[in-house]
Amino acid sequence: MKLWGGRFTRTTDRLVEDFHSSISFDRRLYRQDIAGSIAHARMLAAVGLITPEEGEAIIKGLEEIRADIEAGRVEFDVGAEDIHMNIEKLLTERIGEPGKKLHTARSRNDQVVLDLRLYLKEEIPGIKKLLAGLQKVLVDLAEEHINTIMPGYTHLQKAQPVTLAHHLLAYFEMFCRDQERLDGCLERTDVMPLGAGALAGTTLPINREMVARQLGFKEISANSLDAVADRDFVVEFLAAASLLMMHLSRLAEEIILWASEEFGFIELDDAYSTGSSMMPQKKNPDVAELVRGKTGRVYGHLMGMLTVLKGLPLAYNKDLQEDKEALFDALDTVKGCLMVFTPMLATAKFKVERMREDAERGFAAATDVAEYLVRKGLPFREAHAVVGALVLHCLERGKSFYDLTLDEWRSFSPYFSEDIFSHITLEACIRGRDLPGGPAPAAVKQALERARRILATI
């Protein structure tokens, strides 16, 4: 008979049993479930709801079950539905009557959210560490490429020259905000729900603070209904994970573009590329493409979880069982992407000369020319119009700024003088942007110092 089957007269239909069971995926919570049960048993013994001997038997039995699970000696029972009832069933089979007392003052409703909070508390620091590893690669590459000039883009059109270091550090900043979001999620996950019971707590004299201390929670939940009914901490993690994956996907997209013959900015290591079964010449950036694709998978889990929660009345509803597969898969996906993306980027070779050549093509110095005229005293809007006319002049004649004579410059404005030629070099364009947050080498060096300080704190 089911552990909850006292008021039922018929057994559960086999199809319902399979549909209802979550042991196929929530089995990964066994360590958290056993840890929570051990803390709960210690508390029950401390407040006199079970004897010290019963508490010791329960704890010893749970520790043995944990060892057996880790050794692969446990076969979980679909009929026992979930990890909680599987472990309780195993415990009762091993130690008898004391095992039946473990669930005193506890519901699966508060037990499952306890396990999930414990699990996420353990997983977030691991993701932060993996992300920090990627950030370190970005910083290392930026230090190597402080003077590597490349075109900066808007609308995927050449806009202004920047440095590769500056470009890479943009992603470092994005990932810093992802780290902060993970920190915030961890803080709000660190709340102990056990004691909320099914929805309204218990009349038994339990000590919630004792359990929280044992399990390392900073506080206990303030409302029993809220404790078992919401999964906003799961949604918050999925949202943070989605933003992290979005940033990772954008970098992946740029790597995909840069690895193409059309750009030719980067050469990916053979270990992180694949070929074609038909076209022998191909070298495909499949790792980056998969990361880009898996981003949508994490987005889907976020939208799925929001949809599950949006119509639930208080308190617990079985719909909440859908939280685990979404969370587990998102965690696995983010970790897997970070684990393969970081060495892919670390082993890539940047084609410095090709980047510079591409930056020289087009009119990336156009804004610098307009600002040159502003420094000479021309209003910016007039300067903008002058440079626009200059660009049109060049396009009609197949020229670049570097091909113009001083007379041609001056035919568009008397403000141009001989020094214009020193202002339109790529080095001058980069060096002139020596402001906090800018791409000039001096500014980038300051940004790198800041980045190293941040990494030391993660």
Side-chain angles (χ1 to χ4, degrees):
M1 187 177 77
K2 302 285 188 184
L3 296 179
W4 44 259
R7 60 94 67 214
F8 288 79
T9 59
R10 294 180 62 192
T11 59
T12 309
D13 184 278
R14 180 67 183 178
L15 284 174
V16 172
E17 195 164 84
D18 291 341
F19 185 68
H20 187 253
S21 175
S22 61
I23 189 60
S24 62
F25 53 84
D26 68 15
R27 60 197 303 161
R28 73 163 71 186
L29 295 173
Y30 77 89
R31 285 191 303 104
Q32 293 75 25
D33 196 74
I34 289 173
S37 292
I38 288 173
H40 186 65
R42 287 196 179 114
M43 181 274 294
L44 292 177
V47 300
L49 287 171
I50 60 175
T51 67
E53 294 74 21
E54 288 171 329
E56 289 176 9
I58 289 171
I59 291 168
K60 184 174 183 293
L62 288 169
E63 289 173 341
E64 290 175 354
I65 291 169
R66 179 172 56 202
D68 285 346
I69 292 172
E70 290 172 349
R73 293 191 292 265
V74 170
E75 186 173 340
F76 292 111
D77 178 11
V78 173
E81 298 177 8
D82 54 37
I83 190 62
H84 326 295
M85 293 179 70
N86 263 273
I87 289 174
E88 184 178 338
K89 178 174 175 284
L90 288 167
L91 180 67
T92 303
E93 288 172 354
R94 292 185 185 208
I95 69 171
E97 287 300 308
K100 298 178 182 179
K101 295 186 178 183
L102 175 59
H103 210 56
T104 303
R106 187 173 70 169
S107 165
R108 278 189 296 172
N109 295 0
D110 58 352
Q111 186 179 358
V112 65
V113 72
L114 170 75
D115 293 358
L116 210 55
R117 285 180 180 272
L118 282 171
Y119 185 83
L120 192 52
K121 277 182 62 179
E122 293 176 13
E123 288 290 325
I124 288 176
I127 289 179
K128 284 176 56 62
K129 184 177 180 180
L130 288 172
L131 182 56
L134 175 57
Q135 289 178 282
K136 183 180 183 301
V137 168
L138 288 168
V139 170
D140 290 344
L141 287 171
E143 283 186 330
E144 184 181 342
H145 291 285
I146 290 175
N147 295 303
T148 297
I149 296 175
M150 65 176 290
Y153 295 86
T154 64
H155 308 278
L156 207 56
Q157 306 292 317
K158 289 188 185 70
Q160 293 175 318
V162 295
T163 61
L164 177 56
H166 190 58
H167 192 109
L168 294 173
L169 287 177
Y171 285 101
F172 177 86
E173 294 297 327
M174 297 177 203
F175 292 134
C176 280
R177 294 191 294 277
D178 291 322
Q179 291 277 13
E180 291 170 0
R181 279 183 280 269
L182 289 169
D183 284 335
C185 179
L186 182 57
E187 179 182 355
R188 282 175 286 280
T189 300
D190 197 11
V191 179
M192 207 282 293
L194 208 61
L199 75 161
T202 178
T203 61
L204 297 171
I206 63 172
N207 186 337
R208 299 186 69 204
E209 289 80 5
M210 177 184 174
V211 177
R213 285 193 301 272
Q214 290 184 77
L215 296 173
F217 283 99
K218 70 173 184 178
E219 60 182 297
I220 62 174
S221 56
N223 183 285
S224 62
L225 288 166
D226 173 55
V228 299
D230 208 355
R231 293 294 187 272
D232 56 354
F233 68 97
V234 174
V235 173
E236 186 172 1
F237 172 77
L238 293 173
S242 293
L243 285 166
L244 192 167
M245 289 297 296
M246 177 268 290
H247 290 144
L248 204 58
S249 182
R250 293 184 73 178
L251 181 52
E253 169 68 8
E254 295 205 303
I255 288 171
I256 292 163
L257 288 171
W258 292 353
S260 69
E261 187 177 349
E262 286 73 16
F263 276 79
F265 288 179
I266 195 171
E267 175 77 20
L268 295 175
D269 191 270
D270 285 357
Y272 297 94
S273 305
T274 64
S276 165
S277 63
M278 184 177 186
M279 297 169 284
Q281 82 281 11
K282 294 294 295 297
K283 184 176 182 180
N284 300 325
D286 280 11
V287 169
E289 290 174 355
L290 274 171
V291 168
R292 185 177 60 183
K294 287 178 183 292
T295 299
R297 181 178 184 142
V298 177
Y299 288 2
H301 291 314
L302 171 60
M303 292 310 299
M305 197 63 226
L306 284 168
T307 306
V308 165
L309 288 169
K310 76 174 183 64
L312 297 187
L314 296 181
Y316 182 83
N317 296 270
K318 191 65 175 180
D319 313 50
L320 293 174
Q321 182 170 292
E322 293 298 302
D323 59 1
K324 293 168 205 62
E325 288 179 287
L327 177 62
F328 297 159
D329 189 69
L331 282 163
D332 293 344
T333 300
V334 172
K335 288 192 293 185
C337 288
L338 287 170
M339 288 173 67
V340 72
F341 197 99
T342 299
M344 177 194 70
L345 184 60
T347 56
K349 304 298 181 186
F350 289 94
K351 299 180 180 180
V352 174
E353 291 305 316
R354 175 63 179 265
M355 287 182 162
R356 181 187 175 86
E357 291 169 6
D358 217 48
E360 287 176 337
R361 288 196 289 269
F363 302 92
T367 303
D368 300 78
V369 175
E371 290 177 349
Y372 166 93
L373 293 173
V374 168
R375 284 193 295 273
K376 297 284 186 174
L378 198 64
F380 178 76
R381 277 297 160 214
E382 291 184 28
H384 188 286
V386 168
V387 178
L390 260 168
V391 169
L392 180 60
H393 172 84
C394 289
L395 288 171
E396 289 174 343
R397 289 159 180 78
K399 291 186 175 183
S400 72
F401 284 159
Y402 309 108
D403 300 322
L404 298 178
T405 65
L406 181 59
D407 287 341
E408 284 179 288
W409 284 103
R410 291 183 63 82
S411 68
F412 287 88
S413 173
Y415 286 95
F416 287 119
S417 60
E418 189 72 35
D419 62 348
I420 183 59
F421 298 106
S422 64
H423 280 80
I424 60 172
T425 66
L426 292 177
E427 284 76 13
C429 293
I430 296 292
R431 193 168 54 247
R433 292 178 166 80
D434 187 14
L435 72 164
V444 170
K445 287 177 182 177
Q446 291 181 341
L448 283 167
E449 290 175 7
R450 173 179 173 275
R452 291 291 186 196
R453 289 195 301 271
I454 291 172
L455 281 175
T457 67
I458 298 175

